[in-house]
Amino acid sequence: MTCAESQNLFSEYLEGQITGTVQQGLVEHLEACPACAQKLKLMRIMRVRLSKLDRKHLPDTFSFEMRRALLAEMNRENIWLNRLRALLSPRPQTVWSAAVGTAFAAVCFAVLWLTFPPGGQSGWRSDSVTEVDAAQHDQSVRYVLEHLPFDGEPIESTVKDTARVMPVPPSQAREVVQPVSATF
Amino acid sequence: MSELLFVEQFTRQSEMVTDEDLLAQSLDGSVNAFEVIVNRYKDRLFNFVVRFVGDQETAEDIVQETFLRAYRNRDTFQAVAKFSTWIYTIAGNLAKSELRRRKRWRFLSLGSKDEHGNTFELPDVASNPDRDAETLLAEAKIEDAIARLPDHYREAIILRDIEGLDYDEISTIVGVPLGTVKSRINRGRLRLQEDLGDLACALWKQDEDETTAVRSNP
Ligand SMILES: [Zn+2]
């Protein structure tokens, strides 16, 4: 057995983990090699010394800090746990709020769907808007024309007049508004 | 009665309760049961971590983080391993991450600090009245030699020779095969002896004298 081989076995030998021929070989080497024998003695002493090293101590504040950290952790955990519990076994109040919320979301979705449908055209009837617009224009034109300043001469309603009060091209306006003859 | 006193009393009452049972109790959200575990392991973990990372403040943080992680993952703990092995593994991994982080930082700051520099502090005799100055100085030198060991030797030596864990536990904690653990412990011890040189011989002589004195005055 070489010195290196014997030294590889020191720890196992000291802890009684080698037996038989291996142990015999090591003992024979130690008897013949004072350097290895001394190293082994030193290792034995070193082990005892290491086991007796002064114990280090945590400061007294550690327990307080630890408790605070654990309570904070527990609170954080409880928040998630309560959310999970509420989901799994909901109270009537929770069910109502969930139902109202869902209904509201559905209405919002429907309105958005009709206003901006996927096809691109509005879901609302477009002609109804035009009709209302035309009727309003019609009314305002009548009002303006009826209240034009009267300086004694009859006013012949012209295409030009209509164009002045209606911000639409006369060709279109004529379809909607019948020129009013201002003969008073 | 303050909360901590309650925990102390709870600890005394729970001396016979196993770590695994306490962990199961803490699953119901009982911080008190978990604090008993904290009281059982805080000093042992601190002794391991402070020698492994080499500074008190970081070691305190690592020990606290170890317990918090154990608490957070207490429902995933499998009773296949011992609880002590599990908690040491968490602490060891956190300590190793810290050492890696420091190495990267040292590498970035162009190795401003020599890893094998002599850093031991002179012992404070006044705060250790039960240990004589010579013993304290010897201990300080041994601590320093431990600090100079390569990380993987240091970890194995602390767990085996200072904390007294068995080889199988160390193998699980460190995450290497049993043979590797044995070899690291043996090499670590030999390195320590070489590093201590004359001091090791002096300790040997001192121990021989003590043995002779005991034999002649039984
Ligand atoms: Zn030899």
Side-chain angles (χ1 to χ4, degrees), chain B residues 26-162:
Chain B
S26 72
L27 276 175
D28 303 332
S30 163
V31 165
N32 290 340
F34 196 82
E35 277 186 308
V36 177
I37 294 179
V38 171
N39 283 338
R40 276 184 192 175
Y41 285 96
K42 65 178 175 29
D43 288 320
R44 288 160 67 182
L45 288 181
F46 182 65
N47 271 274
F48 162 48
V49 176
V50 78
R51 288 189 169 100
F52 194 16
V53 299
D55 94 273
Q56 176 137 348
E57 217 168 294
T58 313
E60 272 177 57
D61 292 344
I62 289 175
V63 172
Q64 196 187 67
E65 185 57 28
T66 301
F67 285 123
L68 282 178
R69 290 206 182 181
Y71 185 79
R72 254 176 241 149
N73 299 298
R74 65 198 186 283
D75 54 337
T76 63
F77 169 71
Q78 303 285 313
V80 187
K82 272 163 74 182
F83 175 80
S84 61
T85 311
W86 186 56
I87 198 113
Y88 268 106
T89 309
I90 301 174
N93 288 340
L94 286 170
K96 272 180 260 185
S97 305
E98 169 63 20
L99 292 174
R100 272 197 296 272
R101 194 189 61 80
R102 278 188 201 170
K103 269 189 193 132
R104 272 200 302 273
W105 186 245
R106 215 175 292 151
F107 173 74
L108 288 173
S109 56
L110 298 168
S112 56
K113 194 187 165 192
D114 179 13
E115 203 179 328
H116 297 284
N118 199 346
T119 53
F120 78 87
E121 288 165 19
L122 281 175
D124 180 10
V125 184
S127 64
N128 288 277
D130 54 330
R131 290 168 123 81
D132 62 74
E134 219 171 299
T135 311
L136 285 172
L137 193 66
E139 281 193 358
K141 284 183 177 173
I142 294 171
E143 294 276 12
D144 198 47
I146 294 170
R148 281 196 298 268
L149 282 173
D151 294 349
H152 53 292
Y153 289 163
R154 187 166 68 252
E155 185 182 26
I157 289 285
I158 298 168
L159 290 172
R160 177 65 194 158
D161 289 337
I162 304 178

Side-chain angles (χ1 to χ4, degrees), chain A residues 49 52, chain B residues 204-215:
Chain A
R49 286 280 168 166
K52 286 181 182 169
Chain B
W204 174 38
K205 285 212 177 76
Q206 197 182 328
D207 281 36
E208 289 253 292
D209 294 346
E210 275 169 24
T211 318
T212 320
V214 170
R215 273 192 202 134

Side-chain angles (χ1 to χ4, degrees), chain A residues 53 69 75 83 85 91 102 109 117 127 133 165 176 180:
Chain A
L53 274 182
N75 285 339
R83 281 180 192 166
R85 275 197 195 125
R91 289 174 300 172
T102 314
F109 181 76
D127 54 349
D133 274 359
V165 292
V176 182
V180 181

Side-chain angles (χ1 to χ4, degrees), chain A residues 7 11 15 52 56 67, chain B residues 3 35 131 167 186 189:
Chain A
Q7 285 172 18
S11 288
E15 291 174 28
K52 286 181 182 169
K56 312 262 184 193
R67 185 177 178 81
Chain B
E3 292 281 1
E35 277 186 308
R131 290 168 123 81
Y167 282 88
N186 195 58
R189 286 172 180 166

